[in-house]
Amino acid sequence: MKTKYYKIQDINSSEAQAIITETALALRTGELVAFPTETVYGLGANGFEAAAVAKIFATKGRPGDNPLILHIAKQSMLAEIVQGVNVRAELLMEAFWPGPLTIVLPKSAAVPSVTSGGLATVAVRWPASLIAQALILASGVPIAAPSANTSGRPSPTSAAAVLEDLDGKIAYVIDGGDCAVGLESTVVDCTGSIPIVLRPGSVTQEMIEAVLGEASLQSFDLENSVDVPRAPGMKYRHYAPRSPLVLVDVNDENQWLELQRQLNDTSKSIGFIGSKESCDKLPENIFCFVLAKKQEIDRAAANLFKAIRKMDELNIELIFAETWPDVGIGTALMNRLRKAAGNSNIL
Ligand code: TXA
Ligand code: MG
């Protein structure tokens, strides 16, 4: 199949309206459309149509037990897909929608089980991206969309990254520029009496607690848990470059020295993903991807997946990545970096 590429500069232009009309019709007729959101690009299908949703799994190579997020853009869509919204979920929606927060609630019978990965619950998000909203409204149905990457690769934060993985496999990609957040949404399970953060994102634990009150939240560390996976997607290897990625705390003198030693020692091509300050101190033969200045952690988060994809593109054989403070969006950034590093790769 030939993938049609459309770029939207101004959502209010007549060109944009025509693109939205055409791609929304494609969604209604069971095609896949990749579209921008403020977090990462999504691979959309009609969330009510099992056959269309099944295409998402086949195209990404995604395990069938990994449920999808339904994207909505008006209140009436929510009522169609969930069974009741409790007070905690309502407060979170008021505070953070539209935006990068996904809320898990009991699903209604209208949601096919392929969409929810066989679970009795469904994840719902109202994205802030105006392109995403226009597409959802024009299609008239909730749009099921995982990140628009091949399973196991980093989520795409640009249309070019979508095409890298899915060109020729999907009907359309809408280019809305680079994603502002660059990490996937925060996922909160609101089905129990105490909400649980299943995946950290730019809506932080502190922000959620400010809305719900202290001690109102559990954090669920899936990597270190033997419990039944609650966010099935978190158990799979994600965000990973093809080559090993090793985390380095550059503030720890021993680690910094060990890094220098390994840089001198190896015959492999080496990459480094980190702050401007650290990159400035490294030798020229290392391929450095500057995420941001140390103080600009939001920007670092927004650039991470691009950096990992770049390392793959250049066939870098060994990657070192600087650690960032584990607070605010740093928690989400470090969560993705630890997953990219896998189990053992800490200097
Ligand atoms: O920012 C985002 O969330 C992006 C954009 C496109 O919206 N989407 C995204 O989707 O990252 P995906 O499929 O790559 O990640 C969804 C995560 C997975 O870890 C999945 O297991 C979890 O949400 N999830 C989905 N439905 C769930 C449910 N009913 N219960 C628990 N976890 C669920
Ligand atoms: Mg994903």
Side-chain angles (χ1 to χ4, degrees):
M1 145 184 338
K2 184 144 175 43
T3 300
K4 266 198 186 171
Y5 167 93
Y6 285 132
K7 190 177 176 80
I8 293 184
Q9 312 261 21
D10 171 9
I11 186 63
N12 296 313
S13 64
S14 54
E15 292 91 336
Q17 295 309 312
I19 292 167
I20 293 294
T21 303
E22 182 178 339
T23 50
L25 181 65
L27 282 170
R28 265 208 304 277
T29 55
E31 301 287 353
L32 301 187
V33 176
F35 62 96
T37 82
E38 70 278 20
T39 56
V40 300
Y41 276 71
L43 178 60
N46 178 345
F48 284 151
E49 209 193 298
V53 171
K55 277 193 196 173
I56 291 180
F57 286 90
T59 304
K60 282 186 58 118
R62 182 177 174 109
D65 67 350
N66 191 2
L68 306 177
I69 297 171
L70 283 179
H71 295 71
I72 62 169
K74 58 180 177 185
Q75 207 61 40
S76 60
M77 282 186 174
L78 179 68
E80 280 181 274
I81 59 181
V82 303
Q83 282 184 52
V85 177
N86 57 52
V87 180
R88 297 169 297 280
E90 213 160 75
L91 286 170
L92 293 178
M93 290 168 186
E94 258 167 45
F96 301 112
W97 278 4
L101 179 72
T102 295
I103 299 177
V104 176
L105 288 167
K107 84 172 187 71
S108 77
V111 178
S113 97
V114 61
T115 301
S116 66
L119 298 177
T121 57
V122 67
V124 189
R125 181 160 100 83
W126 186 324
S129 157
L130 296 181
I131 296 176
Q133 289 180 8
L135 183 65
I136 297 161
L137 290 176
S139 73
V141 289
I143 299 301
S147 47
N149 52 284
T150 301
S151 230
R153 295 213 74 207
S155 297
T157 54
S158 68
V162 173
L163 289 170
E164 223 172 75
D165 286 11
L166 302 178
D167 195 11
K169 299 181 178 167
I170 60 178
Y172 290 95
V173 57
I174 302 174
D175 186 346
D178 284 355
C179 300
V181 177
L183 297 179
E184 306 87 346
S185 63
T186 307
V187 180
V188 182
D189 181 342
C190 279
T191 57
S193 55
I194 301 179
I196 304 173
V197 175
L198 299 178
R199 179 173 72 183
S202 68
V203 173
T204 63
Q205 177 141 346
E206 298 82 27
M207 289 160 72
I208 293 173
E209 277 176 343
V211 171
L212 297 181
E214 261 178 59
S216 54
L217 203 60
Q218 283 179 27
S219 193
F220 188 78
D221 185 353
L222 200 78
E223 265 97 300
N224 297 313
S225 170
V226 290
D227 198 352
V228 182
R230 287 178 184 252
M234 299 299 275
K235 76 183 175 203
Y236 298 106
R237 188 159 188 252
H238 269 307
Y239 322 111
R242 295 196 184 95
S243 296
L245 181 145
V246 179
L247 297 179
V248 188
D249 177 356
V250 299
N251 298 317
D252 178 326
E253 202 175 336
N254 289 332
Q255 290 193 31
W256 182 252
L257 289 175
E258 175 61 17
L259 172 67
Q260 309 290 329
R261 199 188 62 71
Q262 294 206 20
L263 296 183
N264 289 328
D265 225 38
T266 179
S267 55
K268 292 183 176 143
S269 61
I270 295 189
F272 181 87
I273 298 174
S275 66
K276 168 106 177 51
E277 290 83 349
S278 300
C279 286
D280 284 347
K281 288 191 227 152
L282 290 173
E284 303 255 295
N285 60 329
I286 310 301
F287 175 76
C288 266
F289 194 109
V290 175
L291 291 183
K293 291 188 188 149
K294 270 190 196 233
Q295 295 307 317
E296 302 171 330
I297 190 159
D298 285 12
R299 200 164 140 161
N303 283 327
L304 176 67
F305 290 151
K306 195 164 265 186
I308 293 179
R309 281 177 175 268
K310 191 73 189 173
M311 296 290 157
D312 279 349
E313 189 192 316
L314 296 175
N315 288 313
I316 300 289
E317 292 164 297
L318 176 61
I319 303 158
F320 292 96
E322 177 172 344
T323 58
W324 295 76
D326 215 325
V327 290
I329 195 174
T331 301
L333 176 56
M334 283 309 299
N335 169 270
R336 306 310 192 269
L337 273 171
R338 287 196 193 99
K339 280 173 175 285
N343 297 329
S344 56
N345 291 320
I346 295 177
L347 249 199

